[in-house]
Amino acid sequence: MQFQPTDDQKAFRETAKRFATERLSPTYQERASGHTFDRALIKEMGALGLIGADLPEEFGGLGESSVTSGLIVEEIAYADFNASYVQLLGSLMGGMVAKHASKDIASEWVPKVVSGDAVIGLGLTEPRGGSDAANLILRAEKSGNGWRLNGEKTSMSFASQADAAVVFARTGDPDGGSRGVSAFFVDLNQEGIKRTHFDDIGTKPVGRGSVFFDDVFVPAENMMAEQDRAFGTIMAGFDYSRALIGLECLGAAQASVDETWAYVQEREAFGAPIVQYQGVSFPLAEAETQLTMMRQLCYYTLDLRDRGLPHTSQAAMCKWYLPKTACEILHQCLILHGHYGYTTDLPHHQRYNDVLGLQIGDGTAQIQKLVIAREKVGRMALQYDKKAKGASK
């Protein structure tokens, strides 16, 4: 077992930490109020090798490990939770395109992701779907040497900012569930596409929103993976992103815990620093314990991925447990700052609002627990579904 990063990994982490401390942390709250993310900052991260370090060298990546990408994500999220979405999407979507798109598309777009010159979004969720992700109605119809897309995708990160997206669409039986779903690489800067952003309580710069497709033509060569069977094939990559999401949440929570330790040593009440009171120090001690355990889970999951070993269950654990626990820790940090913690001067409320969204997006806790149960006992864990359907007839 390897519990310490290599020298190369330490170098990546130090580069990320230095950039995050100097360029991201001082203006985190200022950026958090806007609906777009500064492209110049994205390009700076790309120039430093901080986006998609794990992507193949063939397409401009550095061929580094998943663990290395995790170290970068944690450091960026420590300074600016929203900025770490660039790393998350870079690794997830860049890897998806490198593995499943044509070589021409991968050769054109993955280097742009790595350099920070392009952001690729994920068009999966639809208004009627949510957790029922395979219940898609956005339709792709054959048209000459290609397909035409009609429908809506919603809750898409960087909806109004992404340069392209991997869009899941139904090409087969409307009642076929995950079967009959195909994936397409779509340039979002073309006619027939309309985009909006939501006014969310957190992660505003990530620009979650909807994308509408009105008879949008996509060349046949832009189909990714196998027709009608792309859902299961491509969704396997989400085991990776779930561990990275855990580290995003952990980075934000660790930042608030560190700041709170500093505050309670300076703040005095009843003639002594309040850190001397167990009602203050014990919650922070508990938070440090939780953060340490959660960090091990995330990097263990990424190490399993690097070794080519199954990690679906561990990834689901990362996804449901870390956002929830990070929010609880952030709430405690805010409370320990007393009335001052309730102001917007401090970043704890912003981190809380930013992390909160990941208790919903990218797979709810309920879905992740189903995944864990299925991995443990097989499809027996899902049999209630059939019984419920049978009872309703």
Side-chain angles (χ1 to χ4, degrees):
M1 294 184 184
Q2 177 69 40
F3 287 100
Q4 293 298 319
T6 65
D7 289 343
D8 285 346
Q9 289 171 337
K10 289 178 182 177
F12 273 103
R13 185 172 63 184
E14 183 56 37
T15 298
K17 182 177 182 177
R18 184 169 57 250
F19 174 82
T21 301
E22 296 174 359
R23 300 288 290 124
L24 297 177
S25 183
T27 48
Y28 162 54
Q29 291 196 89
E30 179 183 338
R31 275 192 306 278
S33 63
H35 284 287
T36 58
F37 198 87
D38 186 351
R39 285 291 181 125
L41 281 175
I42 296 178
K43 290 181 179 180
E44 284 185 51
M45 289 192 284
L48 291 171
L50 299 179
I51 304 174
D54 55 300
L55 296 178
E57 294 179 88
E58 176 186 5
F59 301 123
L62 299 175
E64 291 292 331
S65 66
S66 306
V67 169
T68 300
S69 286
L71 291 167
I72 294 171
V73 165
E74 184 181 352
E75 290 297 339
I76 297 297
Y78 184 98
D80 184 334
F81 181 84
N82 297 312
S84 66
Y85 266 78
V86 174
Q87 278 72 32
L88 173 68
L89 282 179
S91 290
L92 173 64
M93 303 311 299
M96 199 179 287
V97 171
K99 185 174 183 179
H100 298 292
S102 69
K103 188 168 184 178
D104 286 345
I105 290 174
S107 297
E108 177 184 357
W109 283 91
V110 177
K112 292 180 181 179
V113 170
V114 173
S115 66
D117 290 305
V119 173
I120 299 175
L122 174 67
L124 174 60
T125 303
E126 295 186 2
R128 77 170 189 173
S131 293
D132 190 5
N135 186 20
L136 304 181
I137 58 174
L138 187 145
R139 189 77 190 168
E141 300 280 358
K142 281 290 290 181
S143 176
N145 188 31
W147 300 80
R148 290 197 178 273
L149 305 185
N150 285 280
E152 175 187 356
K153 292 297 179 181
T154 193
S155 197
M156 176 174 151
S157 298
F158 289 93
S160 61
Q161 303 173 72
D163 302 284
V166 175
V167 178
F168 287 82
R170 186 157 297 285
T171 51
D173 182 359
D175 299 317
S178 62
R179 294 182 180 180
V181 173
S182 301
F184 300 88
F185 185 86
V186 182
D187 187 332
L188 294 179
N189 298 301
Q190 57 180 304
E191 290 185 8
I193 294 176
K194 180 182 177 182
R195 304 193 257 178
T196 66
H197 67 73
F198 303 150
D199 190 16
D200 290 335
I201 62 173
T203 60
K204 289 181 183 290
V206 177
R208 191 175 68 98
S210 290
V211 182
F212 301 87
F213 299 86
D214 183 9
D215 214 30
V216 175
F217 181 76
V218 181
E221 57 268 26
N222 283 34
M223 179 178 283
M224 297 171 57
E226 185 181 353
Q227 181 178 331
D228 295 338
R229 296 185 177 274
F231 188 83
T233 302
I234 295 180
M235 286 291 284
F238 284 80
D239 287 345
Y240 183 24
S241 62
R242 286 168 180 165
L244 295 181
I245 283 171
L247 289 168
E248 284 187 287
C249 299
L250 189 147
Q254 186 70 68
S256 279
V257 168
D258 290 349
E259 291 162 5
T260 306
W261 277 120
Y263 173 76
V264 299
Q265 292 176 73
E266 297 171 358
R267 175 71 172 177
E268 293 189 0
F270 305 105
I274 63 174
V275 72
Q276 293 186 15
Y277 305 115
Q278 293 174 355
V280 171
S281 63
F282 279 16
L284 291 174
E286 291 170 8
E288 290 286 4
T289 304
Q290 291 169 314
L291 290 167
T292 299
M293 292 189 296
M294 294 189 298
R295 184 175 288 108
Q296 293 299 323
L297 172 61
C298 290
Y299 286 115
Y300 173 59
T301 303
L302 294 176
D303 183 66
L304 287 174
R305 182 178 191 269
D306 286 334
R307 297 174 187 271
L309 298 173
H311 55 285
T312 295
S313 183
Q314 292 81 2
M317 294 174 193
C318 292
K319 178 58 186 67
W320 87 259
Y321 192 74
L322 271 94
K324 168 185 174 291
T325 308
C327 278
E328 292 170 353
I329 291 171
L330 289 163
H331 175 256
Q332 186 63 61
C333 289
L334 188 154
I335 295 298
L336 288 175
H337 279 79
H339 65 85
Y340 188 36
Y342 197 58
T343 71
T344 57
D345 295 343
L346 298 177
H348 310 301
H349 77 285
Q350 185 62 59
R351 293 189 185 118
Y352 182 92
N353 286 344
D354 289 343
V355 171
L356 179 62
L358 284 174
Q359 290 196 54
I360 305 169
D362 293 270
T364 63
Q366 292 86 346
I367 293 298
Q368 304 312 311
K369 291 173 187 178
L370 275 176
V371 170
I372 296 166
R374 184 194 65 202
E375 290 296 305
K376 194 71 177 177
V377 302
R379 298 197 65 82
M380 181 184 297
L382 309 179
Q383 288 303 304
Y384 76 90
D385 223 6
K386 292 181 180 178
K387 291 178 182 178
K389 288 180 180 178
S392 66
K393 289 181 179 179

